[in-house]
Coordinates of all heavy atoms in Angstrom, one line a residue:
M1 N 9.2 -38.1 -112.4 CA 7.8 -38.3 -112.2 C 7.6 -38.6 -110.7 O 8.3 -39.4 -110.1 CB 7.2 -39.4 -113.0 CG 7.1 -39.1 -114.5 SD 5.5 -38.6 -114.9 CE 5.8 -37.7 -116.3
D2 N 6.5 -38.1 -110.2 CA 6.2 -38.3 -108.8 C 5.7 -39.7 -108.6 O 4.9 -40.2 -109.4 CB 5.2 -37.2 -108.3 CG 5.0 -37.3 -106.8 OD1 5.8 -37.7 -106.1 OD2 3.9 -36.8 -106.5
I3 N 6.0 -40.4 -107.5 CA 5.5 -41.7 -107.1 C 4.0 -41.7 -107.0 O 3.3 -42.6 -107.5 CB 6.2 -42.3 -105.9 CG1 7.7 -42.5 -106.1 CG2 5.5 -43.5 -105.4 CD1 8.0 -43.5 -107.1
K4 N 3.4 -40.7 -106.4 CA 2.0 -40.6 -106.2 C 1.3 -40.6 -107.6 O 0.3 -41.3 -107.8 CB 1.7 -39.4 -105.4 CG 0.2 -39.3 -105.1 CD -0.1 -38.0 -104.2 CE -1.5 -37.8 -104.0 NZ -1.8 -36.6 -103.3
N5 N 1.8 -39.8 -108.5 CA 1.2 -39.7 -109.9 C 1.3 -41.1 -110.5 O 0.4 -41.5 -111.3 CB 1.9 -38.7 -110.7 CG 1.6 -37.3 -110.2 OD1 0.6 -37.1 -109.5 ND2 2.5 -36.3 -110.5
Q6 N 2.4 -41.8 -110.3 CA 2.6 -43.1 -110.9 C 1.5 -44.1 -110.4 O 0.9 -44.8 -111.2 CB 4.0 -43.6 -110.6 CG 4.2 -45.0 -111.3 CD 5.6 -45.5 -110.9 OE1 6.4 -44.8 -110.2 NE2 6.0 -46.6 -111.5
H7 N 1.2 -44.0 -109.1 CA 0.2 -44.9 -108.5 C -1.2 -44.6 -109.1 O -2.0 -45.5 -109.3 CB 0.2 -44.8 -107.0 CG 1.4 -45.4 -106.4 ND1 1.8 -46.8 -106.6 CD2 2.4 -44.9 -105.6 CE1 2.9 -47.0 -106.0 NE2 3.3 -45.9 -105.3
I8 N -1.4 -43.3 -109.2 CA -2.7 -42.9 -109.7 C -2.9 -43.3 -111.2 O -3.9 -43.9 -111.6 CB -2.9 -41.3 -109.6 CG1 -3.0 -40.9 -108.2 CG2 -4.1 -40.8 -110.4 CD1 -2.9 -39.4 -107.9
R9 N -1.8 -43.1 -112.0 CA -1.9 -43.6 -113.4 C -2.1 -45.1 -113.4 O -2.9 -45.6 -114.2 CB -0.6 -43.2 -114.1 CG -0.6 -41.8 -114.6 CD 0.5 -41.6 -115.7 NE 1.7 -42.4 -115.4 CZ 2.8 -42.0 -114.7 NH1 2.7 -40.7 -114.2 NH2 3.8 -42.7 -114.6
N10 N -1.4 -45.9 -112.6 CA -1.5 -47.3 -112.7 C -2.9 -47.7 -112.2 O -3.5 -48.7 -112.7 CB -0.5 -48.0 -111.8 CG 0.9 -47.9 -112.4 OD1 1.0 -47.8 -113.6 ND2 1.9 -48.0 -111.6
F11 N -3.5 -47.1 -111.2 CA -4.8 -47.4 -110.7 C -5.8 -47.1 -111.8 O -6.7 -48.0 -112.1 CB -5.2 -46.5 -109.5 CG -6.6 -46.7 -109.0 CD1 -7.0 -47.8 -108.4 CD2 -7.5 -45.7 -109.3 CE1 -8.3 -48.0 -107.9 CE2 -8.8 -45.8 -108.9 CZ -9.2 -47.0 -108.2
L12 N -5.7 -46.0 -112.5 CA -6.7 -45.7 -113.7 C -6.5 -46.8 -114.8 O -7.5 -47.2 -115.4 CB -6.5 -44.3 -114.2 CG -6.9 -43.2 -113.2 CD1 -6.5 -41.9 -113.8 CD2 -8.4 -43.2 -113.0
R13 N -5.3 -47.1 -115.1 CA -5.0 -48.1 -116.1 C -5.7 -49.5 -115.7 O -6.3 -50.1 -116.6 CB -3.5 -48.3 -116.3 CG -2.8 -47.3 -117.0 CD -1.4 -47.6 -117.1 NE -0.6 -46.5 -117.7 CZ 0.7 -46.3 -117.3 NH1 1.3 -47.0 -116.5 NH2 1.3 -45.2 -117.9
I14 N -5.5 -49.9 -114.5 CA -6.0 -51.1 -114.0 C -7.6 -51.2 -114.1 O -8.1 -52.1 -114.6 CB -5.5 -51.5 -112.7 CG1 -4.0 -51.8 -112.7 CG2 -6.3 -52.7 -112.0 CD1 -3.3 -51.9 -111.4
I15 N -8.2 -50.1 -113.6 CA -9.7 -50.0 -113.6 C -10.2 -50.1 -115.0 O -11.1 -50.8 -115.4 CB -10.1 -48.7 -112.9 CG1 -9.8 -48.8 -111.4 CG2 -11.6 -48.5 -113.1 CD1 -10.5 -49.9 -110.7
A16 N -9.6 -49.3 -115.9 CA -10.0 -49.2 -117.3 C -9.8 -50.6 -118.0 O -10.7 -51.1 -118.7 CB -9.3 -48.2 -118.1
A17 N -8.7 -51.2 -117.7 CA -8.4 -52.6 -118.3 C -9.4 -53.6 -117.8 O -9.8 -54.5 -118.5 CB -7.0 -53.0 -118.0
I18 N -9.7 -53.6 -116.5 CA -10.7 -54.5 -115.9 C -12.0 -54.4 -116.6 O -12.7 -55.4 -116.9 CB -10.7 -54.4 -114.4 CG1 -9.5 -54.9 -113.7 CG2 -12.0 -55.1 -113.8 CD1 -9.4 -54.6 -112.2
I19 N -12.5 -53.1 -116.7 CA -13.8 -52.9 -117.3 C -13.8 -53.4 -118.8 O -14.7 -54.0 -119.2 CB -14.1 -51.4 -117.3 CG1 -14.4 -51.0 -115.8 CG2 -15.4 -51.1 -118.1 CD1 -14.5 -49.5 -115.6
L20 N -12.7 -53.2 -119.5 CA -12.6 -53.7 -120.9 C -12.6 -55.2 -121.0 O -13.3 -55.8 -121.8 CB -11.4 -53.1 -121.6 CG -11.5 -51.6 -122.0 CD1 -10.1 -51.2 -122.6 CD2 -12.6 -51.4 -123.0
L21 N -11.9 -55.8 -120.0 CA -11.9 -57.3 -120.0 C -13.3 -57.9 -119.6 O -13.7 -58.9 -120.2 CB -10.9 -57.8 -119.0 CG -9.4 -57.6 -119.4 CD1 -8.5 -58.0 -118.3 CD2 -9.2 -58.4 -120.7
V22 N -14.0 -57.2 -118.7 CA -15.4 -57.6 -118.4 C -16.3 -57.5 -119.6 O -17.0 -58.5 -119.9 CB -16.0 -56.8 -117.2 CG1 -17.4 -57.1 -117.0 CG2 -15.2 -57.2 -116.0
Y23 N -16.2 -56.4 -120.4 CA -17.0 -56.3 -121.6 C -16.6 -57.3 -122.6 O -17.4 -57.9 -123.3 CB -16.9 -54.9 -122.1 CG -18.0 -54.0 -121.6 CD1 -17.8 -53.2 -120.5 CD2 -19.2 -53.9 -122.2 CE1 -18.8 -52.4 -120.0 CE2 -20.2 -53.1 -121.8 CZ -20.0 -52.4 -120.6 OH -21.0 -51.6 -120.1
L24 N -15.3 -57.6 -122.8 CA -14.8 -58.6 -123.7 C -15.4 -60.0 -123.3 O -15.8 -60.7 -124.2 CB -13.3 -58.6 -123.7 CG -12.6 -59.7 -124.7 CD1 -13.0 -59.3 -126.1 CD2 -11.2 -59.7 -124.5
Y25 N -15.3 -60.3 -122.0 CA -15.9 -61.6 -121.6 C -17.4 -61.7 -121.8 O -17.8 -62.7 -122.3 CB -15.6 -61.8 -120.1 CG -16.2 -63.0 -119.5 CD1 -15.6 -64.2 -119.7 CD2 -17.4 -62.9 -118.7 CE1 -16.2 -65.4 -119.2 CE2 -17.9 -64.1 -118.2 CZ -17.3 -65.3 -118.4 OH -17.9 -66.4 -117.9
D26 N -18.1 -60.6 -121.6 CA -19.5 -60.6 -121.9 C -19.8 -60.8 -123.3 O -20.7 -61.5 -123.7 CB -20.1 -59.3 -121.3 CG -21.7 -59.2 -121.5 OD1 -22.3 -60.2 -121.1 OD2 -22.2 -58.3 -122.0
I27 N -19.1 -60.1 -124.2 CA -19.3 -60.2 -125.6 C -19.0 -61.6 -126.1 O -19.7 -62.2 -126.9 CB -18.4 -59.2 -126.4 CG1 -18.9 -57.7 -126.1 CG2 -18.4 -59.4 -127.9 CD1 -18.0 -56.6 -126.6
A28 N -17.8 -62.2 -125.6 CA -17.5 -63.5 -126.0 C -18.5 -64.6 -125.6 O -18.8 -65.5 -126.3 CB -16.1 -63.9 -125.4
T29 N -19.0 -64.5 -124.3 CA -20.0 -65.5 -123.9 C -21.3 -65.3 -124.7 O -21.9 -66.3 -125.0 CB -20.3 -65.3 -122.4 OG1 -20.7 -64.0 -122.1 CG2 -19.1 -65.7 -121.6
D30 N -21.7 -64.1 -125.0 CA -22.9 -63.9 -125.8 C -22.7 -64.6 -127.2 O -23.6 -65.2 -127.7 CB -23.3 -62.5 -126.0 CG -23.9 -61.9 -124.7 OD1 -24.3 -62.7 -123.8 OD2 -24.0 -60.7 -124.6
K31 N -21.6 -64.4 -127.8 CA -21.3 -64.9 -129.1 C -21.3 -66.4 -129.1 O -21.8 -67.0 -130.0 CB -19.9 -64.3 -129.6 CG -19.5 -64.8 -131.0 CD -20.5 -64.2 -132.0 CE -20.0 -64.6 -133.4 NZ -20.9 -64.3 -134.4
I32 N -20.7 -67.0 -128.1 CA -20.6 -68.4 -128.0 C -22.0 -69.0 -127.7 O -22.4 -70.0 -128.3 CB -19.6 -68.9 -126.9 CG1 -18.2 -68.5 -127.3 CG2 -19.7 -70.4 -126.6 CD1 -17.1 -68.7 -126.3
R33 N -22.7 -68.4 -126.8 CA -24.0 -69.0 -126.4 C -25.1 -68.8 -127.5 O -25.8 -69.7 -127.9 CB -24.4 -68.3 -125.1 CG -25.7 -68.9 -124.5 CD -26.1 -68.2 -123.2 NE -25.9 -66.8 -123.4 CZ -25.5 -65.9 -122.4 NH1 -25.3 -66.4 -121.2 NH2 -25.4 -64.6 -122.7
D34 N -25.2 -67.5 -127.9 CA -26.3 -67.2 -128.8 C -25.9 -67.1 -130.3 O -26.8 -67.1 -131.2 CB -27.0 -65.9 -128.4 CG -27.5 -65.9 -127.0 OD1 -27.9 -67.1 -126.6 OD2 -27.6 -64.9 -126.4
G35 N -24.7 -66.9 -130.5 CA -24.2 -66.7 -131.9 C -24.3 -65.2 -132.4 O -24.0 -64.9 -133.5
K36 N -24.8 -64.4 -131.5 CA -25.1 -63.0 -131.8 C -24.5 -62.1 -130.7 O -24.3 -62.5 -129.5 CB -26.5 -62.6 -132.0 CG -27.2 -63.4 -133.1 CD -28.6 -63.0 -133.3 CE -29.2 -63.8 -134.4 NZ -30.6 -63.5 -134.5
I37 N -24.1 -60.9 -131.0 CA -23.6 -59.9 -130.0 C -24.7 -58.8 -129.9 O -25.0 -58.2 -130.9 CB -22.3 -59.4 -130.5 CG1 -21.2 -60.5 -130.6 CG2 -21.8 -58.3 -129.5 CD1 -19.9 -60.1 -131.1
Y38 N -25.1 -58.6 -128.7 CA -26.1 -57.6 -128.4 C -25.4 -56.5 -127.6 O -25.1 -56.6 -126.4 CB -27.2 -58.1 -127.6 CG -28.0 -59.2 -128.3 CD1 -27.8 -60.5 -127.9 CD2 -28.8 -58.9 -129.3 CE1 -28.5 -61.6 -128.6 CE2 -29.5 -59.9 -130.0 CZ -29.3 -61.2 -129.6 OH -30.0 -62.2 -130.2
L39 N -25.2 -55.3 -128.3 CA -24.6 -54.1 -127.6 C -25.5 -52.9 -127.9 O -26.1 -52.8 -129.0 CB -23.2 -53.8 -128.2 CG -22.1 -54.8 -127.9 CD1 -20.8 -54.4 -128.6 CD2 -21.9 -55.0 -126.4
D40 N -25.6 -52.1 -126.9 CA -26.4 -50.9 -127.1 C -25.5 -49.7 -127.0 O -24.3 -49.8 -126.9 CB -27.6 -50.8 -126.1 CG -27.1 -50.8 -124.6 OD1 -25.9 -50.8 -124.4 OD2 -28.0 -50.7 -123.8
M41 N -26.0 -48.5 -127.0 CA -25.2 -47.3 -127.0 C -24.4 -47.1 -125.7 O -23.3 -46.7 -125.7 CB -26.1 -46.0 -127.2 CG -26.6 -45.9 -128.6 SD -25.2 -45.7 -129.9 CE -24.8 -44.0 -129.5
N42 N -25.0 -47.5 -124.6 CA -24.3 -47.4 -123.3 C -23.0 -48.3 -123.3 O -22.0 -47.9 -122.7 CB -25.2 -47.7 -122.2 CG -26.3 -46.7 -122.0 OD1 -26.1 -45.6 -122.3 ND2 -27.4 -47.2 -121.4
D43 N -23.1 -49.4 -123.9 CA -21.9 -50.3 -123.9 C -20.9 -49.6 -124.8 O -19.7 -49.7 -124.4 CB -22.3 -51.7 -124.6 CG -23.3 -52.5 -123.7 OD1 -23.2 -52.3 -122.4 OD2 -24.1 -53.2 -124.3
G44 N -21.2 -49.0 -125.9 CA -20.3 -48.3 -126.7 C -19.7 -47.2 -126.0 O -18.4 -46.9 -126.1
Y45 N -20.5 -46.4 -125.3 CA -19.9 -45.3 -124.5 C -18.9 -45.7 -123.5 O -17.8 -45.1 -123.3 CB -21.0 -44.5 -123.8 CG -21.9 -43.7 -124.8 CD1 -23.2 -43.5 -124.5 CD2 -21.4 -43.1 -125.9 CE1 -24.1 -42.8 -125.3 CE2 -22.2 -42.4 -126.8 CZ -23.6 -42.3 -126.5 OH -24.4 -41.6 -127.3
V46 N -19.2 -46.8 -122.8 CA -18.3 -47.3 -121.7 C -17.0 -47.8 -122.4 O -15.9 -47.5 -121.9 CB -18.9 -48.4 -120.9 CG1 -17.9 -49.1 -120.0 CG2 -20.1 -47.9 -120.1
I47 N -17.1 -48.6 -123.4 CA -15.9 -49.1 -124.1 C -15.0 -47.9 -124.6 O -13.8 -47.9 -124.5 CB -16.3 -50.1 -125.2 CG1 -16.9 -51.3 -124.6 CG2 -15.1 -50.5 -126.1 CD1 -17.5 -52.3 -125.6
F48 N -15.7 -47.0 -125.3 CA -15.0 -45.8 -125.8 C -14.4 -45.0 -124.7 O -13.2 -44.5 -124.9 CB -15.9 -45.0 -126.7 CG -15.3 -43.7 -127.2 CD1 -14.4 -43.8 -128.3 CD2 -15.5 -42.5 -126.7 CE1 -13.8 -42.7 -128.8 CE2 -14.9 -41.4 -127.2 CZ -14.1 -41.4 -128.2
G49 N -15.1 -44.8 -123.6 CA -14.5 -44.1 -122.5 C -13.3 -44.7 -121.9 O -12.3 -44.0 -121.6
C50 N -13.3 -46.0 -121.7 CA -12.1 -46.8 -121.2 C -10.9 -46.6 -122.1 O -9.8 -46.4 -121.7 CB -12.4 -48.2 -121.0 SG -13.6 -48.6 -119.6
I51 N -11.2 -46.8 -123.4 CA -10.0 -46.6 -124.4 C -9.6 -45.1 -124.3 O -8.3 -44.9 -124.4 CB -10.5 -47.0 -125.8 CG1 -10.7 -48.5 -125.8 CG2 -9.5 -46.7 -126.8 CD1 -11.4 -49.1 -127.0
A52 N -10.4 -44.2 -124.3 CA -10.1 -42.8 -124.2 C -9.2 -42.5 -123.0 O -8.2 -41.7 -123.0 CB -11.3 -41.9 -124.2
I53 N -9.6 -43.1 -121.8 CA -8.9 -42.9 -120.6 C -7.4 -43.5 -120.7 O -6.5 -42.8 -120.4 CB -9.6 -43.5 -119.4 CG1 -10.8 -42.7 -119.0 CG2 -8.7 -43.6 -118.2 CD1 -11.7 -43.3 -118.0
L54 N -7.3 -44.6 -121.3 CA -6.0 -45.3 -121.5 C -5.1 -44.4 -122.4 O -4.0 -44.2 -122.2 CB -6.2 -46.7 -122.0 CG -6.7 -47.7 -121.0 CD1 -7.0 -49.0 -121.7 CD2 -5.8 -47.9 -119.9
L55 N -5.7 -43.9 -123.5 CA -4.9 -43.1 -124.4 C -4.6 -41.8 -123.8 O -3.5 -41.3 -124.1 CB -5.7 -42.9 -125.7 CG -5.9 -44.1 -126.6 CD1 -6.8 -43.8 -127.8 CD2 -4.6 -44.7 -127.0
A56 N -5.5 -41.2 -123.0 CA -5.2 -39.8 -122.4 C -4.1 -40.0 -121.4 O -3.2 -39.1 -121.3 CB -6.5 -39.3 -121.8
I57 N -4.1 -41.0 -120.6 CA -3.0 -41.2 -119.6 C -1.7 -41.3 -120.3 O -0.7 -40.7 -119.9 CB -3.3 -42.5 -118.8 CG1 -4.5 -42.3 -117.9 CG2 -2.1 -42.9 -118.0 CD1 -5.0 -43.6 -117.3
E58 N -1.6 -42.1 -121.4 CA -0.3 -42.2 -122.1 C 0.1 -40.9 -122.8 O 1.3 -40.6 -122.9 CB -0.4 -43.4 -123.1 CG -0.5 -44.7 -122.4 CD 0.6 -45.0 -121.4 OE1 1.7 -44.7 -121.7 OE2 0.2 -45.5 -120.3
A59 N -0.9 -40.2 -123.3 CA -0.6 -38.9 -124.0 C 0.0 -37.9 -123.1 O 1.0 -37.2 -123.4 CB -1.8 -38.4 -124.8
V60 N -0.7 -37.8 -121.9 CA -0.2 -36.8 -120.9 C 1.2 -37.2 -120.4 O 2.0 -36.3 -120.2 CB -1.2 -36.7 -119.7 CG1 -0.6 -35.9 -118.6 CG2 -2.5 -36.0 -120.3
R61 N 1.4 -38.5 -120.2 CA 2.7 -39.0 -119.7 C 3.8 -38.7 -120.7 O 4.8 -38.2 -120.4 CB 2.6 -40.5 -119.4 CG 3.9 -41.0 -118.9 CD 3.8 -42.5 -118.7 NE 5.1 -43.1 -118.4 CZ 5.9 -43.7 -119.2 NH1 5.6 -43.7 -120.5 NH2 7.0 -44.2 -118.8
A62 N 3.5 -38.9 -122.0 CA 4.5 -38.6 -123.0 C 4.7 -37.1 -123.2 O 5.9 -36.7 -123.3 CB 4.0 -39.2 -124.4
F63 N 3.7 -36.3 -123.0 CA 3.9 -34.8 -123.1 C 4.7 -34.3 -122.0 O 5.7 -33.5 -122.2 CB 2.5 -34.2 -123.1 CG 2.6 -32.7 -123.1 CD1 2.9 -32.0 -124.3 CD2 2.3 -31.9 -122.0 CE1 2.9 -30.6 -124.4 CE2 2.4 -30.6 -122.0 CZ 2.7 -29.9 -123.2
V64 N 4.4 -34.8 -120.8 CA 5.2 -34.3 -119.6 C 6.7 -34.8 -119.7 O 7.6 -34.0 -119.4 CB 4.6 -34.8 -118.3 CG1 5.5 -34.6 -117.1 CG2 3.2 -34.1 -118.1
K65 N 6.8 -36.0 -120.1 CA 8.2 -36.6 -120.2 C 9.0 -35.8 -121.3 O 10.2 -35.5 -121.1 CB 8.1 -38.0 -120.6 CG 9.3 -38.8 -120.4 CD 9.0 -40.3 -120.7 CE 10.1 -41.2 -120.3 NZ 9.8 -42.6 -120.6
K66 N 8.3 -35.4 -122.4 CA 9.0 -34.6 -123.4 C 9.3 -33.2 -122.9 O 10.5 -32.7 -123.1 CB 8.1 -34.5 -124.6 CG 8.6 -33.7 -125.8 CD 7.6 -33.7 -126.9 CE 8.1 -32.8 -128.0 NZ 7.1 -32.6 -129.1
K67 N 8.5 -32.6 -122.2 CA 8.7 -31.2 -121.7 C 9.8 -31.3 -120.6 O 10.7 -30.4 -120.6 CB 7.5 -30.6 -121.1 CG 6.4 -30.2 -122.1 CD 7.0 -29.1 -122.9 CE 6.0 -28.6 -123.9 NZ 6.5 -27.6 -124.8
L68 N 9.8 -32.3 -119.8 CA 10.9 -32.4 -118.8 C 12.2 -32.7 -119.4 O 13.3 -32.3 -118.9 CB 10.5 -33.4 -117.7 CG 9.4 -33.0 -116.7 CD1 9.1 -34.1 -115.8 CD2 9.8 -31.7 -116.0
G69 N 12.2 -33.5 -120.5 CA 13.4 -33.9 -121.1 C 14.1 -32.7 -121.8 O 15.3 -32.6 -121.9
K70 N 13.3 -31.8 -122.4 CA 13.9 -30.6 -123.0 C 14.6 -29.7 -122.0 O 15.6 -29.1 -122.3 CB 12.8 -29.8 -123.8 CG 12.4 -30.5 -125.1 CD 11.5 -29.6 -125.8 CE 11.2 -30.2 -127.2 NZ 10.2 -29.4 -127.9
D71 N 14.1 -29.6 -120.8 CA 14.6 -28.7 -119.8 C 15.9 -29.3 -119.1 O 16.6 -28.7 -118.4 CB 13.6 -28.4 -118.7 CG 12.5 -27.5 -119.3 OD1 12.7 -26.9 -120.3 OD2 11.4 -27.6 -118.7
G72 N 16.1 -30.6 -119.3 CA 17.2 -31.3 -118.7 C 16.9 -31.7 -117.2 O 17.8 -32.0 -116.5
K73 N 15.6 -31.7 -116.9 CA 15.2 -32.0 -115.5 C 14.5 -33.4 -115.4 O 13.8 -33.6 -114.4 CB 14.3 -31.0 -115.0 CG 14.8 -29.6 -114.9 CD 13.7 -28.6 -114.5 CE 14.1 -27.2 -114.7 NZ 13.0 -26.2 -114.4
S74 N 14.8 -34.2 -116.3 CA 14.1 -35.5 -116.3 C 14.5 -36.4 -115.1 O 15.7 -36.6 -114.9 CB 14.4 -36.3 -117.6 OG 13.7 -37.5 -117.6
H75 N 13.6 -36.7 -114.2 CA 13.8 -37.5 -113.1 C 13.0 -38.8 -113.1 O 12.0 -38.9 -112.4 CB 13.5 -36.8 -111.8 CG 14.3 -35.5 -111.6 ND1 15.6 -35.5 -111.3 CD2 13.9 -34.2 -111.7 CE1 16.0 -34.3 -111.3 NE2 15.0 -33.5 -111.5
E76 N 13.3 -39.8 -113.9 CA 12.6 -41.0 -114.0 C 12.9 -42.0 -112.9 O 13.9 -42.4 -112.5 CB 12.8 -41.7 -115.3 CG 11.9 -41.1 -116.4 CD 10.4 -41.5 -116.3 OE1 10.1 -42.5 -115.8 OE2 9.7 -40.6 -116.7

């Protein structure tokens, strides 16, 4: 795998994880303060999008690793 690709993947993982942690913090503070959680469709789209990005990164990585492994050209 190319070092540049690894940095891009790590950057996307970090951004998605930070966004998920911010939403988790917001949900937890609302639950503690008001006893209720207020989420709208946009919150759901952002959370779903972050999870989809994380899953897509890992799926593409596994696919490429599998294809390179079959050819015997695996360079980790």
Side-chain angles (χ1 to χ4, degrees):
M1 291 260 158
D2 189 25
I3 293 294
K4 183 179 177 184
N5 291 337
Q6 182 181 1
H7 291 303
I8 292 170
R9 279 196 323 270
N10 286 337
F11 175 75
L12 290 174
R13 285 178 187 150
I14 290 169
I15 293 297
I18 288 172
I19 292 171
L20 285 174
L21 287 174
V22 167
Y23 268 92
L24 179 65
Y25 176 76
D26 184 48
I27 291 169
T29 56
D30 284 347
K31 180 68 175 172
I32 291 169
R33 185 181 45 212
D34 300 331
K36 295 181 182 177
I37 298 174
Y38 300 103
L39 296 176
D40 60 1
M41 287 297 286
N42 291 332
D43 295 328
Y45 290 146
V46 171
I47 292 169
F48 178 74
C50 288
I51 293 171
I53 287 172
L54 290 171
L55 291 176
I57 290 169
E58 294 304 318
V60 169
R61 180 179 174 268
F63 177 77
V64 169
K65 199 173 185 181
K66 180 180 172 185
K67 287 296 182 183
L68 289 177
K70 283 187 177 179
D71 295 336
K73 300 178 190 173
S74 182
H75 300 290
E76 279 286 331

